[in-house]
Amino acid sequence: MPDIASSSVGPGIDALLRPRSIALVGASADTARYSGRPLRFLVKHGYPGALYPVNPRYDRIGDHPCFPDVAAVPDPVDLAIIMLSALHVLAALEECAKKGVRAALVMSSGFAELGAAGRQAQQRVSELAVTTGMRICGPNSGGIINVRDRVGASLLSCLELDTLIPGDIALVSQSGTVCNAPFNRAQDRGIGFACLVSSGNEADLDVPDFVEYFAEDDGVRVIVAYVEGVKDGTRFLRAATRAAERGKPLVVLKVGAHERGRAVIASHTGAAAGSDSAFQAVFARTGAIRVHDLDEMIDVASVLAGSRRPRLPGVAVVAVGSGGAAGLLADMTAGAGLDLADFTEPTKQALGPLVSPLCTLTNPLDLAGVSGLASEEPAMLRACLPVIAADPGVGSIVVALPSLPYYCGEIAEALVDFHRSGPVPLLVTWLAGSLSRRGFDILERHGVPLLRSCEAAVRGLRALLDHARFKDRAPGTAAVAAPEPSTTAAAQRILADRAGTLPEDETKRLLALYGIPGVPERRAASAADAVRAAREIGYPVALKIVSADIAHKQQVGGIRLGVSGDAAVRREFRALVAEVERSLPAAAIEGVLVQAMAREGLDVFLGMLRDPQFGAVVMLGLGGLLGARPGALTSGLAPLDAAGATRMVRESEVGRLLEAHRGLGFAPEGLIDLLGRFSRLAADVAPWVSAIDVNPVRLFPRPGAAAVLDAKCYFTSPSADGASPDGACGDANPQRRWTDA
């Protein structure tokens, strides 16, 4: 592990993860109790350092002298494990600090997860860490397991395993269970770990600290994090960026995307879940790979740890005696957006003599022996894999195997040999049970990525390819040039001394400063004024109520579309104002916006949300009601670089529609520029603005042609579910500033 003395994450983490001596404060002789487990596990797994149980009730625990307090320990202590009730934790930590203990692991619960009183107690723990310099993991931590250095400083039951398999995966989790269960299951599958950390409530050390630490550790190849929320978004972004710079895949299981999930988290660790769209934007910027359950977390981590880097995106699917498995895997691969390689003629010619004449030499390829004997399959697989790997379009190979109780060991050995020396990564999905156990054992023992379903294989392969693409990405350049100082100053003048909702036309003025155009429009204070505006703009027109107190005009009858003729404008102006007055009598009506009707095109949603952890997050999706569908938005951190803006458009539903309709004059390039401009605006105004909705901006079938049809800018925080304020009135003076002449 790295020498933390020279690392940016601060002193003391090495004492936590690689302690030369450990004091166990509150240790019990009853090994069935939580407080009895850490000492037993440390001994069981061969901890090489000194152990000092601390408990005034005992003279000895097992083979170890027991001390009445930490001060009585005769030697220096690197790590203290605190296993006391919450009421006694702070005093124990103070005693440890006086002793010069470098790090403390607090397993005690009863802190921020219990509410206000617990948060106050946890705050005192945080303050002690700052004032003393002693690094603290926890409280409510399940402990740490450093497999390589035989440090089982944990109460987690996974340490009941007789032997631990070392590896190059590091896991940090805000949940002890999400350390315990994956580690046990992974070890059962022969997947090794370097280190596990249960960070608990994170009074001091937190997930970003450990991610950054493991990023510097040359013995760690993959970092896995279970995240409920973060205290400091900037530090999390920095740690994820550092992992990317060091070429370490960061696999994240982030929970709390939905309200009920956030509620469970709050009661669990006291964490703030944060905006899910903001986390997704961070993952996109840093190349972190998001997973959605424990199985996927293990599968993806094992593939990334056990595979070489793919040289190309093309995938070859190979089955042995199972055309059905080959077809299923090929369908799922294509459905996940991965490219199936087309074998070249030289490849087909080289494969021909190796397989049955009945075999179709295409991708996917179902291998069959010349005489149809199962005994031929291992040698045939051994001969065919190098030929397929040499194809110039193949960057990785997935092998699908059925039950194969006969010769499964020989097949596994052929796969191991290719995995060791082959030029492309190899993933194996073995759709079998115990009859093929011998083959499983061989693959697991030699670190060949083994997935137990086609879906798992595809997810692992996609993660491998996504990480490779991210590493190959060119250094970021700005999506659009930074605005002139005069532009920023003009934006601030529009926003100065505003509250509630910025009216639509003023929001459009703000957007126009950044090169995001609208349609011709004019604010009218009277019906006569509206007629004059409509004549200048040209019929037909739209009429929209203007009020800082109204967020959603449609819901209060504040919009009229396709109005033609002077008489119709007068009639609809009066009807619109009257309907709004009935719906929201307290609203301060500032006039009516007369707007040109736009021609047909594709409606797009652009949104900005100021996240308390990560700052301005921009979102892209289909416009109108479709833009509000859960999961339908693609997000990114503002301001976007060119690669980020391109990624957002390419991955969005909008981008796919534009690509599909290039022949009609639509193209994604104009939207990429538009999104870059919007992201620059979002970053500039984030100190004053909590949210912006541009819905819709209409794209026209001419490259770069677009116009904002409706937009809102909010100065108050959106509601808890991320929606904008819904037609609420503030305390503005309802006196009208318009006349019905």
Side-chain angles (χ1 to χ4, degrees), residues 109-115 122 139-140 173-178 198 200-201 226 228 255 261-271:
S109 59
F111 289 86
E113 75 275 12
L114 294 186
Q122 185 166 308
N140 201 19
S173 169
Q174 292 174 328
S175 164
T177 299
V178 182
S198 167
N201 290 13
Y226 169 85
E228 296 173 348
V255 297
R262 290 193 292 268
V264 171
I265 289 165
S267 64
H268 181 205
T269 65

Side-chain angles (χ1 to χ4, degrees), residues 483 487 490-491 494 504-519 521 674 677-678 681 694 708 711:
T487 298
I494 293 174
E504 176 183 341
D505 53 344
E506 294 188 52
T507 302
K508 289 175 179 174
R509 282 176 52 212
L510 184 66
L511 293 164
L513 290 173
Y514 287 78
I516 304 172
V519 295
E521 61 185 29
L674 191 69
R677 294 176 183 278
F678 182 71
L681 162 66
V694 182
V708 173

Side-chain angles (χ1 to χ4, degrees), residues 530-531 533-535 537-544 559-576 592-597:
V531 169
R535 288 174 178 172
I537 292 169
Y539 290 114
V541 295
L543 304 180
K544 300 180 180 180
I559 298 178
R560 299 291 190 275
L561 300 177
V563 182
S564 290
D566 295 359
V569 168
R570 291 190 186 93
R571 182 178 64 252
E572 294 299 335
F573 181 99
R574 296 183 179 113
L576 182 151
V592 171
L593 191 64
V594 182
Q595 178 182 305
M597 294 292 294

